[in-house]
Amino acid sequence: MTELLHLTERPLWDAARGTGTYEMSTRGRTLHEEGFIHCSLPHQLPAVAELLYGAGGRAEAGDRDLVVLVIDTERLPAPVRYESLRPGGEEFPHIYGPIPVEAVVGVLPWPDKEGDLA
C-alpha cells in the first residue's frame, strides 16, 4: 500500500464525508479548476505547509483547523501521477480524479505534536 498525504482544512474534509468524495485540489482551488488533487509524500509535507500557510505551516495553521488526509492509493479509482513543476525538479504525487472517502485511511491534525509527519 502506498500512502499519499493531502493537507486541508477540517471543514472541507467534513463536507467531503457528507458527499462521499473529496474534490479540493489545493488551498482555494478545486479538482475541477486544477485538473488534479495535489498530494505529498511524508518528507514533502512540511515544505507544502510552508508554501500554503507560511511559518512552517504553523503561523496561519494556528488560526485554522488543518488536517492531513492519509490516502491509500490502492483504494483510488483515479490515476496517480508523479510530476514536477519543472524538468528535473522534485516530483509530487497528483491524483487525477476525486478521492472517495473510503480511500482516506487516516486523518491527522496539522501541525502534529512533533511539528511534522516526516
Side-chain angles (χ1 to χ4, degrees), residues 14-26:
D14 290 343
R17 289 174 45 214
T19 63
T21 59
Y22 179 83
E23 299 189 23
M24 289 300 296
S25 176
T26 189

Side-chain angles (χ1 to χ4, degrees), residues 1-7 13 67-73 99 101-108 117:
M1 167 177 75
T2 300
E3 291 183 344
L4 303 179
L5 305 176
H6 178 80
L7 183 63
W13 169 241
V67 293
V68 178
L69 305 182
V70 181
I71 303 158
D72 179 353
T73 58
I99 300 170
V101 295
E102 298 82 20
V104 177
V105 295
V107 179
L108 308 170
L117 298 173

Side-chain angles (χ1 to χ4, degrees), residues 13-116:
W13 169 241
D14 290 343
R17 289 174 45 214
T19 63
T21 59
Y22 179 83
E23 299 189 23
M24 289 300 296
S25 176
T26 189
R27 183 178 181 194
R29 296 198 41 92
T30 66
L31 166 64
H32 177 74
E33 293 168 322
E34 196 75 3
F36 56 85
I37 296 174
H38 290 271
C39 291
S40 304
L41 298 173
H43 72 277
Q44 297 170 324
L45 191 61
V48 169
E50 170 71 27
L51 177 68
L52 295 176
Y53 296 97
R58 291 164 186 76
E60 193 171 336
D63 298 332
R64 297 177 179 269
D65 189 5
L66 298 178
V67 293
V68 178
L69 305 182
V70 181
I71 303 158
D72 179 353
T73 58
E74 293 178 11
R75 297 182 184 195
L76 291 173
V80 176
R81 297 186 187 121
Y82 288 79
E83 300 169 310
S84 172
L85 292 174
R86 54 184 167 69
E90 184 173 16
E91 293 184 341
F92 287 81
H94 298 147
I95 300 172
Y96 279 81
I99 300 170
V101 295
E102 298 82 20
V104 177
V105 295
V107 179
L108 308 170
W110 182 265
D112 71 349
K113 290 177 179 60
E114 289 76 43
D116 65 47

